[in-house]
Amino acid sequence: WVGPGAACVALGLGAVSLYGCDPDPEAPVPAESPTPADAGRRAAPPPPAPAAIDAPELADIARRIAEPAAAYHAAAEKRREAALAKVDEGAKVVRGLYEGGKLLFYKGDGNLSEDGQTVMKLLAQLERHGVATRPYKLERVDEATAGVVAAFAAERKALLAAAKTPDAARVAAVGARWMRSGKGTELELMQAGGDKLTPLDRKRLADGLHAVRTAAEATRPALWKADVEIARCVVRYFVDFLYARPAHPHETTSPATIRRLADKNADELLARLGDKRGAIANEMRAAWPSHPQYAALLGAVDRYAGFVADGDWDKLPSPPGKVVKKGARGAFVTALRARLAKEGYTVGSGDVFDATLVEAVERFQRRHQLTDDGEVSRSTIRELDVSAAMRLRQLRLALERMREANARDPETFFVWVNVAGQFVRVYDGGKVIREHRVIVGKDNEDIDYEARIKGRINRTKLFSAKMSKVTLAPRWYPTPRVVDLELGPALAKDPDYFEKHGYVSEMNADGSERVYQKSGPTNLLGVVKFQFPNKHAIYMHDTPSRHLFKKSRRAYSHGCIRLENPVAMANFVLGRDKGWNKSKIKKILDEREEKIVMLKTPIPVHIDYVTATVDEDGEVQFWGDVYGYDQAFFTGQLPVEEVEEYKAASTRGLL
């Protein structure tokens, strides 16, 4: 697509091919030479001389063009203001973009500029990014674009009526451009061939000037309307990619608030776009998150959009038993093979559950946070039956969550924890250099009597902080809530519980009790703790319950992040930051005396919740919605209220 007004460009550059060279029906026809048979006949009278044509000179035609062009150009500001008056969102920013008085995306000939064409392509890809298109009112852009096409088509029609020869067509096109822009000279008309026009051409052109002028004048309002409509959408684009948070579990931005975000951030947006004329599309792409996951997820969206376009996949028939294993055969196995093949798995052929199909099932299970045993149980069938259309929705929501993520524009070296995926990845220069499984907070209902709150209080919080210290052989200082609700009852049942599990109870100077667990194999923090100070008192640590890492879904903690292979992480972090080797770290751990190591360069840590990611091999991974944040988004129940004030039951009548 070349853009509206392409016909006008053709008119200006190739009038010869458009108009041809039709003979003048009023031109005299030369007499034929007499034949011998006519020699004796009386000669025919000569044809009458053609009447003189009252044709204006080129200078007069130039004057007839210049006068309305100047007046029309003087009214340009009114046309711009009329278009700007219809902007109903982000008006302050849109108005600021046009302070120079020039079109941003269209050229005067009715064609979109190169930047304008790219901007239109980016707006056409909103759905790909998981951005709701309804607020953009794209039908207004379509209507305005059609108006540009219609206006330039009308101008071309008027030009064709006023110019019957190639020379006249070229002069008419220059005149129309002069009328549109308010800039032109008689010399330009001459250079286009005006000094070669016949009197008849000049007369026809002069007679058609009014229609040409009327048509040319209609192009400018059409251009302004379309240009401003595109600008309005561009401003909304920056709002959606930089400021709006419609899917955040706790800081959800309402539609009414989103509509005010452009003007709220007007100074920042104008500073960003004010000097980017001709390069606004580049700025739009620069508004995408720089986290490597974003580009990878866009590729996944394209892939699953293809599955949907190809007709999605069918749900599986009822299985022949509770679990379908290797060696099984029949219609269910055939359907299973077809289902996996449609999503791109290598499955072989036939109706037997063979080794190739087992490998495909295991791969599917790993990608969907299931136990990868190669057996098809109810949980595996449930994931297989999720449609490609639903997976596409999940991927688009993942893109939205990445735009809202704490790690959306991370540093070169950082740690990313995905609560939904229950993993931690260490990135350096856009590449994953380490990955560990983690255990995150439970999703149970609970009560904190000391804080007087109840609800989903054990969920791991979403935030950013900086890892500033690593504690080797740490002590564990349980919160008063844990002491009261867990350690107290255990001690009541077994007076030796503290001694058996390494707990120490000390008296503070103010008379209060302080309980901690000594370093050692039973310590609930394990042998390493990674601290990034935050108001939630959340950190990463080891755990003696390492068997839990074998589970595919791991939400068991009180909110902190338990880390698989923590010593390997400690070796990496302290080796990079302090230059320590494994032997030095092992010696400290073997001594079982708490040692706090301050990092020279704190490490950014970002904790987010995204239920679809892509690994380094390009595998798309779908994670369980452990806290129900995706479901809350799809059902319109955001923001999520996780806790509420707890009031103990009344004691009236008991005292």
Side-chain angles (χ1 to χ4, degrees):
W1 177 57
V2 182
C8 298
V9 175
L11 179 63
L13 298 180
V16 173
S17 60
L18 283 173
Y19 292 99
C21 296
D22 296 333
D24 184 352
E26 299 180 13
V29 179
E32 296 181 359
S33 300
T35 63
D38 297 328
R41 298 180 184 177
R42 185 177 178 179
I53 298 175
D54 184 15
E57 296 299 325
L58 186 63
D60 185 49
I61 292 175
R63 181 182 57 76
R64 296 187 194 184
I65 294 174
E67 290 176 357
Y72 184 59
H73 184 62
E77 186 174 344
K78 292 182 179 179
R79 297 193 297 275
R80 184 171 67 251
E81 287 300 314
L84 291 172
K86 296 181 180 179
V87 177
D88 49 5
E89 181 181 327
K92 183 177 179 180
V93 182
V94 175
R95 188 173 292 277
L97 292 176
Y98 289 107
E99 284 186 352
K102 295 181 179 179
L103 295 165
L104 284 174
F105 307 107
Y106 274 94
K107 297 184 291 184
D109 60 6
N111 282 294
L112 284 163
S113 65
E114 183 177 346
D115 185 47
Q117 292 184 48
T118 308
V119 166
M120 291 288 276
K121 289 177 182 177
L122 291 174
L123 291 175
Q125 294 176 358
L126 287 168
E127 195 172 66
R128 180 187 182 221
H129 288 265
V131 176
T133 59
R134 186 175 179 180
Y136 285 76
K137 302 174 184 175
L138 294 175
E139 65 278 1
R140 284 168 47 175
V141 178
D142 293 340
E143 178 188 347
T145 301
V148 172
V149 174
F152 277 89
E155 181 188 278
R156 181 173 181 270
K157 184 177 180 180
L159 288 169
L160 288 169
K164 297 295 185 181
T165 65
D167 287 340
R170 282 190 286 269
V171 175
V174 172
R177 186 170 67 244
W178 184 352
M179 291 177 181
R180 272 190 260 116
S181 66
K183 298 178 181 179
T185 64
E186 181 183 346
L187 178 60
E188 289 177 311
L189 297 180
M190 290 181 63
Q191 290 173 337
D195 56 343
K196 300 176 183 177
L197 296 183
T198 66
L200 182 59
D201 281 338
R202 294 200 305 275
K203 184 178 187 307
R204 284 174 173 165
L205 181 57
D207 291 344
L209 275 181
H210 178 73
V212 172
R213 183 184 69 188
T214 301
E217 287 178 352
T219 62
R220 186 58 56 169
L223 283 171
W224 271 112
K225 180 179 179 181
D227 209 78
V228 169
E229 285 294 338
I230 296 172
R232 175 185 58 78
C233 290
V234 166
V235 172
R236 175 66 190 229
Y237 191 97
F238 282 98
V239 166
D240 282 332
F241 278 80
L242 296 177
Y243 307 118
R245 310 187 87 186
H248 195 281
H250 316 301
E251 300 170 12
T252 313
T253 314
S254 70
T257 300
I258 291 174
R259 285 193 292 270
R260 295 192 294 267
L261 288 176
D263 286 341
K264 181 180 178 181
N265 297 279
D267 291 343
E268 181 178 325
L269 285 171
L270 288 173
R272 180 170 189 149
L273 298 174
D275 61 348
K276 293 298 189 298
R277 180 177 297 276
I280 289 179
N282 292 338
E283 284 299 305
M284 291 169 70
R285 282 188 287 252
W288 301 355
S290 61
H291 193 297
Q293 275 297 304
Y294 197 80
L297 284 167
L298 279 176
V301 163
D302 294 341
R303 182 181 174 195
Y304 278 79
F307 293 144
V308 173
D310 289 343
D312 215 316
W313 43 70
D314 298 325
K315 288 190 175 183
L316 293 171
S318 297
K322 289 185 177 180
V323 179
V324 183
K325 303 180 180 180
K326 183 178 181 181
R329 65 173 60 239
F332 178 84
V333 175
T334 301
L336 173 64
R337 178 169 271 117
R339 159 66 183 86
L340 289 169
K342 196 154 188 180
E343 200 173 355
Y345 291 88
T346 301
V347 295
S349 60
D351 67 345
V352 178
F353 201 146
D354 56 13
T356 301
L357 189 55
V358 168
E359 289 180 9
V361 171
E362 289 174 346
R363 181 182 161 204
F364 178 90
Q365 290 169 328
R366 286 192 295 271
R367 290 181 53 200
H368 293 77
Q369 208 171 6
L370 299 166
T371 301
D372 56 343
D373 55 12
E375 299 178 356
V376 181
S377 62
R378 290 179 183 175
S379 59
T380 299
I381 292 175
R382 188 162 50 247
E383 294 296 326
L384 283 163
D385 280 348
V386 175
S387 66
M390 187 60 225
R391 291 302 184 198
L392 182 58
R393 289 180 69 196
Q394 188 176 353
L395 286 164
R396 286 172 174 163
L397 176 56
L399 285 167
E400 178 61 57
R401 293 208 188 280
M402 288 307 305
R403 289 195 293 275
E404 302 173 9
N406 295 299
R408 65 154 284 149
D409 295 309
E411 303 78 355
T412 300
F413 178 64
F414 67 99
V415 173
W416 188 46
V417 179
N418 185 358
V419 175
Q422 292 150 37
F423 64 74
V424 57
R425 291 175 181 170
V426 180
Y427 282 85
D428 192 7
K431 299 291 184 181
V432 177
I433 58 174
R434 298 194 67 82
E435 182 167 346
H436 297 250
R437 287 187 166 200
V438 299
I439 293 170
V440 298
K442 294 182 283 188
D443 194 44
N444 63 321
E445 290 276 356
D446 208 345
I447 299 175
D448 186 334
Y449 294 97
E450 182 183 25
R452 296 185 179 181
I453 57 175
K454 67 177 180 179
R456 309 283 181 176
I457 60 178
N458 294 316
R459 289 177 173 176
T460 299
K461 304 299 184 288
L462 312 178
F463 63 95
S464 290
K466 288 197 174 183
M467 185 188 299
S468 58
K469 55 187 174 182
V470 177
T471 302
L472 302 176
R475 292 177 176 181
W476 179 48
Y477 293 87
T479 64
R481 173 170 166 266
V482 173
V483 172
D484 291 342
L485 298 182
E486 299 182 24
L487 299 184
L491 186 62
K493 290 181 180 180
D494 181 3
D496 297 326
Y497 182 86
F498 273 22
E499 184 176 352
K500 290 177 181 178
H501 295 277
Y503 287 97
V504 175
S505 176
E506 297 179 339
M507 194 67 69
N508 293 320
D510 61 1
S512 61
E513 181 187 31
R514 182 179 71 162
V515 175
Y516 67 87
Q517 188 181 34
K518 295 184 293 185
S519 304
T522 62
N523 186 289
L524 291 185
L525 297 184
V527 297
V528 185
K529 179 170 67 172
F530 303 87
Q531 292 168 269
F532 32 96
N534 59 86
K535 66 180 181 180
H536 310 290
I538 288 176
Y539 45 85
M540 287 195 300
H541 63 86
D542 183 17
T543 174
S545 303
R546 291 176 180 152
H547 65 283
L548 295 176
F549 288 108
K550 295 180 181 179
K551 294 183 175 293
S552 56
R553 304 193 179 195
R554 303 173 297 280
Y556 299 108
S557 81
H558 288 89
C560 282
I561 301 159
R562 302 179 192 173
L563 185 68
E564 187 181 32
N565 298 325
V567 175
M569 177 69 94
N571 291 337
F572 167 75
V573 171
L574 296 178
R576 180 186 178 103
D577 186 81
K578 312 289 284 188
W580 288 10
N581 57 35
K582 296 179 182 178
S583 298
K584 181 172 183 175
I585 295 170
K586 184 177 184 302
K587 181 180 179 182
I588 295 172
L589 294 176
D590 289 344
E591 291 172 354
R592 295 185 182 177
E593 288 293 332
E594 183 178 78
K595 183 176 181 60
I596 299 174
V597 184
M598 302 302 296
L599 299 181
K600 292 186 294 185
T601 305
I603 303 171
V605 177
H606 305 291
I607 304 175
D608 291 308
Y609 187 98
V610 187
T611 62
T613 57
V614 181
D615 67 13
E616 290 296 285
D617 296 325
E619 289 273 14
V620 184
Q621 303 159 308
F622 296 101
W623 310 105
D625 187 15
V626 61
Y627 295 159
Y629 293 156
D630 280 16
Q631 182 67 17
F633 172 80
F634 289 130
T635 57
Q637 299 181 57
L638 293 179
V640 174
E641 298 294 336
E642 294 182 327
V643 298
E644 61 183 36
E645 184 179 353
Y646 171 74
K647 294 182 180 180
S650 173
T651 58
R652 182 179 299 173
L654 300 178
L655 299 177

